[in-house]
Amino acid sequence: MQLTGNLFIGAHEVAASEGTLQALAPATNELIEPPFALGGSAEVERAATLADEAFDSYSHTSLAERAAFLERIADNLDAVRQPLAARAALETGLPQAQLEGEAAKAATQFRQFAEVVRRGRFLHLAIDPEQPERQPRPRMDHRLQKMAIGPVAIFGASNFPIAYSVAGGDTASALAAGAPVILKAHNAHPGASEIMARAIRQAVRDCGLHEGVFSMLRGGGNALGEALVEHPLVKAVAFTGSERGGMALYRRAQLRPEPIPVFCEMTSVNPTFVLPHAVEERGASIGDGFIERMLVNVGQACLKPAILVAVEGDGLDALRQAMIQRLRTSPARTMLTPGIHAAYGEGLDALLSAGAQRIAEGSPAEAANDGAAALLEVDGRRFLAEPVLAGEVFGPAALLVTVRDTEEMLAVARSLRGQLSATLQLENGDLPLARRLLPILERRTGRIVVNAFSHPQEVSFASIHGGPFPASTDSRFTSVGMTAIERFLRPVCYQGFPDELLPEALRAANPLGLPRSLDGQ
């Protein structure tokens, strides 16, 4: 597939105004053609203006029209699945087969959101009819629906170059809500980003929508991203990445004359608590499965199970040895970027300096950006004394925390910051302890898993990918699953309206046949 390297602002391809970059193939450490354009504040201004111009018409498209648009995007993504996966594999070092699956998942998300739009439940339609005879004061007719918050700026992620990138869940949920999208592509995979952007732009044209419904920008450094967050026509931001990067955007958004919501998915170690009966009965299989899931994506997954907590006693040595055996047989694999590779080494050094002991290593690295797996161990007392041990190390490393008893396990759980997920491995005899752990974990995570692992995660109506800070900046919302659409909606009440002036979904005859609340019923 021919790549131009241009920016996409509405229907226009725009050349560089702030220089260019070239993608790096991390497996060979070589640059890849072509050069890709970088933009700045002028391009942000053009994209934001177009998005604002598109908002009124796009946010008022019929549910059928919007659903058809989302499905057209899905069809276009399917049509480019193989070249998209091939380019993403070149730019990330991840296996092409895995990325073809990720591309299929991205298309599926757009189709899922199309169904969400058709059903119309996301509108949260509510009607409180007038009560003219009510005393001591009559009640006017009140009708409520949710609508899009406004143009949304979305920052593509590095670790999932398709499913969390240009055509990821943030874009799908924002477009489903009726919000035009300005996408800041991640510089680690610019070619894959262009292929996805073309698929979305083609759907905009095919469906006859305003060109400002979608734009894709790219910038060097932080200036373009900061300009996006600060632009007065941008009304919300979605970000997946580091705590440092996410909080910089969050603080900048709150200092605007008009503060806006910033939905950041940031950092998590996704702890696994192996309760005593589970350790005794299934220690080896739990340890093996934990390391197998930890190594997915070379440990570069936001849901990577990074910390395993187990009580000393029967079965612990079998668990430990299974972890060691699985890890020692794992090959060093290419990490996403040289910067991520360097940060991985620094993170390991920080854990070792804080008192963790390296108890196993994978095969040594053979190339510059290879990440060699590592298993570290520390006792519960040391873990509680050194907060750095609870920090995320982005890469193929895990930490085994051995605690003296169940009280120390509870203390470890209480010490943790907000998480995207937490896991309990348990048997029937562990239920009393599990009941004590649950309230602690409910306060610290958005998803609790029993007798499985934190990764992978289903994309469904009930799935949650979010949690208390620093897992995310707003634990009331999710960035994965069908309810992710809620981030980009706000309620509007129509009071005393004549029927013909109401939005179609709120009219008396319910012409769309949508579910509605009537006087709370």
Side-chain angles (χ1 to χ4, degrees):
M1 177 174 288
Q2 185 67 35
L3 300 174
T4 66
N6 290 326
L7 307 175
F8 296 160
I9 301 181
H12 305 279
E13 293 199 27
V14 178
S17 66
E18 300 287 336
T20 61
L21 65 83
Q22 280 185 261
L24 179 79
T28 62
N29 223 26
E30 295 175 343
L31 296 175
I32 320 166
E33 293 289 341
F36 288 88
L38 300 175
S41 58
E43 286 71 30
V44 168
E45 177 65 31
R46 291 173 63 184
T49 299
L50 277 178
D52 185 65
E53 291 172 356
F55 178 73
D56 286 343
S57 62
Y58 181 61
S59 64
H60 286 81
T61 50
S62 72
L63 299 184
E65 290 171 328
R66 202 181 306 165
F69 168 52
L70 296 172
E71 288 170 338
R72 180 60 65 90
I73 294 174
D75 292 342
N76 292 350
L77 290 172
D78 282 340
V80 298
R81 183 183 302 171
Q82 288 187 337
L84 170 58
R87 179 70 192 200
L90 185 62
E91 294 178 334
T92 64
L94 298 173
Q96 182 172 336
Q98 173 184 322
L99 290 165
E100 287 190 25
E102 192 175 319
K105 177 181 177 181
T108 296
Q109 284 188 99
F110 277 92
R111 293 192 176 97
Q112 288 174 306
F113 277 109
E115 186 60 26
V116 168
V117 170
R118 281 200 177 90
R119 294 181 185 182
R121 292 184 182 275
F122 73 99
L123 296 171
H124 295 277
L125 302 170
I127 300 173
D128 296 327
E130 66 175 347
Q131 295 179 354
E133 307 302 324
R134 191 185 70 174
Q135 295 297 327
R137 184 177 66 187
R139 182 177 80 180
M140 295 183 70
D141 184 272
H142 290 67
R143 299 180 184 233
L144 178 144
Q145 76 168 11
K146 289 196 172 184
M147 65 172 291
I149 198 170
V152 174
I154 294 174
F155 288 70
S158 65
N159 57 334
F160 289 93
I162 302 173
Y164 278 83
S165 184
V166 175
D170 286 341
T171 299
S173 55
L175 292 175
V181 166
I182 307 168
L183 195 294
K184 181 185 181 296
H186 199 284
N187 290 345
H189 40 80
S193 296
E194 179 176 327
I195 294 171
M196 290 182 281
R198 288 189 180 280
I200 297 173
R201 285 202 330 151
Q202 185 61 49
V204 172
R205 286 194 294 266
D206 293 344
C207 295
L209 301 174
H210 190 290
E211 63 173 314
V213 166
F214 178 80
S215 293
M216 185 192 75
L217 306 177
R218 191 183 302 106
N222 299 324
L224 185 136
E226 292 170 353
L228 262 177
V229 172
E230 291 177 344
H231 199 285
L233 296 178
V234 171
K235 301 302 180 184
V237 173
F239 170 88
T240 299
S242 69
E243 180 181 349
R244 179 180 178 182
M247 290 310 299
L249 297 179
Y250 181 85
R251 293 186 184 100
R252 190 169 290 271
Q254 305 318 305
L255 293 174
R256 289 174 33 146
E258 176 199 359
I260 58 172
V262 179
F263 302 105
C264 295
E265 185 260 283
M266 299 182 292
T267 182
S268 183
V269 296
N270 308 298
T272 294
F273 293 88
V274 188
L275 306 194
H277 288 84
V279 174
E280 184 175 352
E281 295 185 28
R282 298 185 285 116
S285 64
I286 292 169
D288 181 76
F290 177 91
I291 295 298
E292 188 270 331
R293 298 318 302 168
M294 183 276 287
L295 292 170
V296 170
N297 240 47
V298 203
Q300 300 163 119
C302 43
L303 287 174
K304 179 192 84 172
I307 292 178
L308 186 147
V309 185
V311 181
E312 295 174 357
D314 293 341
L316 177 60
D317 189 59
L319 179 145
R320 180 189 290 112
Q321 292 305 314
M323 295 175 77
I324 290 172
Q325 181 175 350
R326 166 70 77 155
L327 190 124
R328 281 179 175 167
T329 60
S330 66
R333 291 173 53 199
T334 305
M335 300 191 73
L336 291 164
T337 69
I340 289 174
H341 178 265
Y344 171 59
E346 293 167 0
L348 277 179
D349 289 343
L351 297 186
L352 293 167
S353 297
Q357 301 297 312
R358 194 192 308 257
I359 61 171
E361 294 178 298
S363 299
E366 296 181 357
N369 296 313
D370 283 355
L375 177 61
L376 285 67
E377 183 173 346
V378 72
D379 62 50
R381 182 176 179 181
R382 186 74 175 183
F383 184 88
L384 291 169
E386 296 285 352
V388 70
L389 292 169
E392 181 182 24
V393 176
F394 198 64
L399 178 65
L400 171 63
V401 180
T402 56
V403 295
R404 292 171 295 182
D405 51 33
T406 57
E407 292 304 316
E408 192 167 74
M409 175 176 278
L410 295 170
V412 166
R414 293 189 189 98
S415 74
L416 295 171
R417 300 200 296 169
Q419 304 292 327
L420 293 171
S421 69
T423 292
L424 295 174
Q425 293 283 347
L426 56 83
E427 297 295 328
N428 285 339
D430 294 313
L431 293 179
L433 176 57
R435 291 190 183 97
R436 297 181 67 193
L437 262 173
L438 270 176
I440 300 171
L441 298 182
E442 286 168 345
R443 294 176 62 177
R444 287 164 176 81
T445 186
R447 183 168 65 106
I448 304 171
V449 181
V450 170
N451 289 345
F453 295 100
S454 54
H455 185 270
Q457 179 180 23
E458 192 72 26
V459 179
S460 69
F461 282 93
S463 59
I464 292 294
H465 190 67
F469 181 83
S472 64
T473 49
D474 195 327
S475 62
R476 297 171 297 173
F477 298 96
T478 178
S479 61
V480 173
M482 301 303 97
T483 54
I485 194 173
E486 299 287 346
R487 296 173 294 170
F488 308 120
L489 298 168
R490 65 179 184 87
V492 177
C493 177
Y494 303 84
Q495 181 176 335
F497 269 52
D499 195 66
E500 60 270 23
L501 192 57
L502 282 166
E504 191 175 18
L506 289 174
R507 291 177 186 169
N510 193 10
L512 301 181
L514 298 177
R516 310 193 298 190
S517 164
L518 183 64
D519 259 340
Q521 301 297 315

mmCIF file of all heavy atoms in Angstrom, residues 369-393:
data_model
loop_
_atom_site.group_PDB
_atom_site.id
_atom_site.type_symbol
_atom_site.label_atom_id
_atom_site.label_comp_id
_atom_site.label_asym_id
_atom_site.label_seq_id
_atom_site.Cartn_x
_atom_site.Cartn_y
_atom_site.Cartn_z
ATOM 1 N N ASN A 369 17.181 -3.883 20.650
ATOM 2 C CA ASN A 369 15.932 -3.559 21.324
ATOM 3 C C ASN A 369 15.214 -4.784 21.874
ATOM 4 O O ASN A 369 14.011 -4.731 22.129
ATOM 5 C CB ASN A 369 15.016 -2.793 20.359
ATOM 6 C CG ASN A 369 15.604 -1.462 19.961
ATOM 7 O OD1 ASN A 369 16.064 -0.702 20.809
ATOM 8 N ND2 ASN A 369 15.598 -1.164 18.664
ATOM 9 N N ASP A 370 15.935 -5.870 22.058
ATOM 10 C CA ASP A 370 15.347 -7.069 22.641
ATOM 11 C C ASP A 370 15.146 -6.880 24.142
ATOM 12 O O ASP A 370 16.041 -6.388 24.847
ATOM 13 C CB ASP A 370 16.249 -8.288 22.430
ATOM 14 C CG ASP A 370 16.163 -8.843 21.025
ATOM 15 O OD1 ASP A 370 15.328 -8.341 20.247
ATOM 16 O OD2 ASP A 370 16.920 -9.773 20.709
ATOM 17 N N GLY A 371 13.989 -7.329 24.617
ATOM 18 C CA GLY A 371 13.723 -7.323 26.047
ATOM 19 C C GLY A 371 13.859 -8.718 26.614
ATOM 20 O O GLY A 371 13.106 -9.631 26.234
ATOM 21 N N ALA A 372 14.827 -8.931 27.507
ATOM 22 C CA ALA A 372 15.014 -10.229 28.156
ATOM 23 C C ALA A 372 14.132 -10.296 29.396
ATOM 24 O O ALA A 372 14.094 -9.364 30.201
ATOM 25 C CB ALA A 372 16.477 -10.416 28.533
ATOM 26 N N ALA A 373 13.406 -11.400 29.560
ATOM 27 C CA ALA A 373 12.467 -11.541 30.669
ATOM 28 C C ALA A 373 13.194 -11.667 31.997
ATOM 29 O O ALA A 373 14.329 -12.167 32.065
ATOM 30 C CB ALA A 373 11.564 -12.749 30.437
ATOM 31 N N ALA A 374 12.522 -11.238 33.060
ATOM 32 C CA ALA A 374 13.111 -11.299 34.402
ATOM 33 C C ALA A 374 12.021 -11.583 35.425
ATOM 34 O O ALA A 374 10.905 -11.058 35.326
ATOM 35 C CB ALA A 374 13.812 -9.991 34.733
ATOM 36 N N LEU A 375 12.363 -12.430 36.404
ATOM 37 C CA LEU A 375 11.484 -12.704 37.537
ATOM 38 C C LEU A 375 12.206 -12.308 38.802
ATOM 39 O O LEU A 375 13.322 -12.771 39.063
ATOM 40 C CB LEU A 375 11.098 -14.180 37.583
ATOM 41 C CG LEU A 375 10.227 -14.610 38.776
ATOM 42 C CD1 LEU A 375 8.894 -13.870 38.770
ATOM 43 C CD2 LEU A 375 10.003 -16.124 38.760
ATOM 44 N N LEU A 376 11.564 -11.437 39.592
ATOM 45 C CA LEU A 376 12.143 -10.956 40.838
ATOM 46 C C LEU A 376 11.277 -11.418 42.002
ATOM 47 O O LEU A 376 10.089 -11.733 41.827
ATOM 48 C CB LEU A 376 12.239 -9.431 40.829
ATOM 49 C CG LEU A 376 13.351 -8.793 39.974
ATOM 50 C CD1 LEU A 376 13.105 -9.026 38.479
ATOM 51 C CD2 LEU A 376 13.425 -7.287 40.236
ATOM 52 N N GLU A 377 11.877 -11.434 43.194
ATOM 53 C CA GLU A 377 11.126 -11.837 44.384
ATOM 54 C C GLU A 377 11.487 -10.922 45.537
ATOM 55 O O GLU A 377 12.622 -10.431 45.649
ATOM 56 C CB GLU A 377 11.433 -13.282 44.753
ATOM 57 C CG GLU A 377 10.613 -13.765 45.957
ATOM 58 C CD GLU A 377 10.786 -15.258 46.237
ATOM 59 O OE1 GLU A 377 11.328 -15.977 45.356
ATOM 60 O OE2 GLU A 377 10.392 -15.694 47.339
ATOM 61 N N VAL A 378 10.496 -10.685 46.398
ATOM 62 C CA VAL A 378 10.694 -9.872 47.591
ATOM 63 C C VAL A 378 9.704 -10.351 48.646
ATOM 64 O O VAL A 378 8.649 -10.902 48.316
ATOM 65 C CB VAL A 378 10.490 -8.373 47.267
ATOM 66 C CG1 VAL A 378 9.013 -8.054 47.023
ATOM 67 C CG2 VAL A 378 11.057 -7.482 48.352
ATOM 68 N N ASP A 379 10.055 -10.179 49.919
ATOM 69 C CA ASP A 379 9.099 -10.560 50.963
ATOM 70 C C ASP A 379 8.133 -9.406 51.234
ATOM 71 O O ASP A 379 8.372 -8.262 50.862
ATOM 72 C CB ASP A 379 9.806 -11.014 52.232
ATOM 73 C CG ASP A 379 10.661 -9.934 52.871
ATOM 74 O OD1 ASP A 379 10.169 -8.809 53.081
ATOM 75 O OD2 ASP A 379 11.852 -10.209 53.165
ATOM 76 N N GLY A 380 7.027 -9.740 51.877
ATOM 77 C CA GLY A 380 5.985 -8.755 52.100
ATOM 78 C C GLY A 380 6.441 -7.573 52.925
ATOM 79 O O GLY A 380 6.039 -6.431 52.678
ATOM 80 N N ARG A 381 7.279 -7.821 53.910
ATOM 81 C CA ARG A 381 7.742 -6.728 54.771
ATOM 82 C C ARG A 381 8.510 -5.695 53.956
ATOM 83 O O ARG A 381 8.302 -4.484 54.113
ATOM 84 C CB ARG A 381 8.611 -7.292 55.896
ATOM 85 C CG ARG A 381 9.104 -6.254 56.883
ATOM 86 C CD ARG A 381 9.881 -6.925 58.013
ATOM 87 N NE ARG A 381 10.394 -5.936 58.962
ATOM 88 C CZ ARG A 381 11.123 -6.246 60.022
ATOM 89 N NH1 ARG A 381 11.423 -7.526 60.285
ATOM 90 N NH2 ARG A 381 11.558 -5.309 60.841
ATOM 91 N N ARG A 382 9.401 -6.181 53.085
ATOM 92 C CA ARG A 382 10.175 -5.255 52.250
ATOM 93 C C ARG A 382 9.260 -4.530 51.262
ATOM 94 O O ARG A 382 9.422 -3.327 51.005
ATOM 95 C CB ARG A 382 11.249 -6.040 51.485
ATOM 96 C CG ARG A 382 12.209 -5.171 50.696
ATOM 97 C CD ARG A 382 13.182 -4.470 51.610
ATOM 98 N NE ARG A 382 14.187 -3.716 50.871
ATOM 99 C CZ ARG A 382 15.181 -3.060 51.440
ATOM 100 N NH1 ARG A 382 15.316 -3.073 52.762
ATOM 101 N NH2 ARG A 382 16.044 -2.396 50.715
ATOM 102 N N PHE A 383 8.309 -5.256 50.706
ATOM 103 C CA PHE A 383 7.374 -4.650 49.751
ATOM 104 C C PHE A 383 6.621 -3.486 50.391
ATOM 105 O O PHE A 383 6.451 -2.423 49.778
ATOM 106 C CB PHE A 383 6.391 -5.709 49.245
ATOM 107 C CG PHE A 383 5.444 -5.216 48.193
ATOM 108 C CD1 PHE A 383 5.785 -5.248 46.846
ATOM 109 C CD2 PHE A 383 4.190 -4.718 48.541
ATOM 110 C CE1 PHE A 383 4.907 -4.791 45.869
ATOM 111 C CE2 PHE A 383 3.308 -4.253 47.580
ATOM 112 C CZ PHE A 383 3.669 -4.295 46.239
ATOM 113 N N LEU A 384 6.183 -3.676 51.624
ATOM 114 C CA LEU A 384 5.430 -2.626 52.318
ATOM 115 C C LEU A 384 6.313 -1.435 52.672
ATOM 116 O O LEU A 384 5.838 -0.308 52.763
ATOM 117 C CB LEU A 384 4.792 -3.198 53.578
ATOM 118 C CG LEU A 384 3.656 -4.211 53.334
ATOM 119 C CD1 LEU A 384 3.285 -4.921 54.630
ATOM 120 C CD2 LEU A 384 2.439 -3.502 52.744
ATOM 121 N N ALA A 385 7.603 -1.682 52.843
ATOM 122 C CA ALA A 385 8.506 -0.599 53.243
ATOM 123 C C ALA A 385 9.022 0.214 52.060
ATOM 124 O O ALA A 385 9.494 1.348 52.249
ATOM 125 C CB ALA A 385 9.694 -1.186 54.019
ATOM 126 N N GLU A 386 8.939 -0.328 50.836
ATOM 127 C CA GLU A 386 9.518 0.324 49.656
ATOM 128 C C GLU A 386 8.442 0.513 48.594
ATOM 129 O O GLU A 386 8.197 -0.373 47.769
ATOM 130 C CB GLU A 386 10.664 -0.518 49.089
ATOM 131 C CG GLU A 386 11.850 -0.669 50.022
ATOM 132 C CD GLU A 386 12.686 0.602 50.080
ATOM 133 O OE1 GLU A 386 12.412 1.532 49.280
ATOM 134 O OE2 GLU A 386 13.597 0.665 50.918
ATOM 135 N N PRO A 387 7.781 1.674 48.551
ATOM 136 C CA PRO A 387 6.696 1.895 47.589
ATOM 137 C C PRO A 387 7.106 1.701 46.137
ATOM 138 O O PRO A 387 6.269 1.346 45.296
ATOM 139 C CB PRO A 387 6.286 3.350 47.862
ATOM 140 C CG PRO A 387 6.678 3.596 49.277
ATOM 141 C CD PRO A 387 7.933 2.806 49.487
ATOM 142 N N VAL A 388 8.397 1.901 45.815
ATOM 143 C CA VAL A 388 8.830 1.755 44.424
ATOM 144 C C VAL A 388 8.609 0.332 43.915
ATOM 145 O O VAL A 388 8.435 0.108 42.705
ATOM 146 C CB VAL A 388 10.315 2.157 44.270
ATOM 147 C CG1 VAL A 388 11.239 1.154 44.935
ATOM 148 C CG2 VAL A 388 10.691 2.330 42.801
ATOM 149 N N LEU A 389 8.561 -0.654 44.819
ATOM 150 C CA LEU A 389 8.363 -2.036 44.409
ATOM 151 C C LEU A 389 6.966 -2.276 43.842
ATOM 152 O O LEU A 389 6.739 -3.255 43.135
ATOM 153 C CB LEU A 389 8.612 -2.978 45.590
ATOM 154 C CG LEU A 389 10.062 -3.055 46.073
ATOM 155 C CD1 LEU A 389 10.144 -3.793 47.400
ATOM 156 C CD2 LEU A 389 10.948 -3.741 45.028
ATOM 157 N N ALA A 390 6.045 -1.391 44.138
ATOM 158 C CA ALA A 390 4.679 -1.518 43.618
ATOM 159 C C ALA A 390 4.482 -0.762 42.317
ATOM 160 O O ALA A 390 3.367 -0.697 41.794
ATOM 161 C CB ALA A 390 3.670 -1.009 44.658
ATOM 162 N N GLY A 391 5.567 -0.214 41.751
ATOM 163 C CA GLY A 391 5.464 0.559 40.527
ATOM 164 C C GLY A 391 5.481 -0.323 39.289
ATOM 165 O O GLY A 391 6.002 -1.448 39.292
ATOM 166 N N GLU A 392 4.919 0.202 38.212
ATOM 167 C CA GLU A 392 4.861 -0.534 36.951
ATOM 168 C C GLU A 392 6.221 -0.552 36.269
ATOM 169 O O GLU A 392 6.890 0.477 36.176
ATOM 170 C CB GLU A 392 3.833 0.110 36.013
ATOM 171 C CG GLU A 392 3.690 -0.610 34.684
ATOM 172 C CD GLU A 392 2.695 0.059 33.749
ATOM 173 O OE1 GLU A 392 2.449 1.274 33.905
ATOM 174 O OE2 GLU A 392 2.176 -0.633 32.854
ATOM 175 N N VAL A 393 6.620 -1.724 35.806
ATOM 176 C CA VAL A 393 7.780 -1.866 34.926
ATOM 177 C C VAL A 393 7.231 -2.364 33.594
ATOM 178 O O VAL A 393 6.774 -3.502 33.481
ATOM 179 C CB VAL A 393 8.817 -2.845 35.496
ATOM 180 C CG1 VAL A 393 9.958 -3.033 34.499
ATOM 181 C CG2 VAL A 393 9.353 -2.335 36.828
#
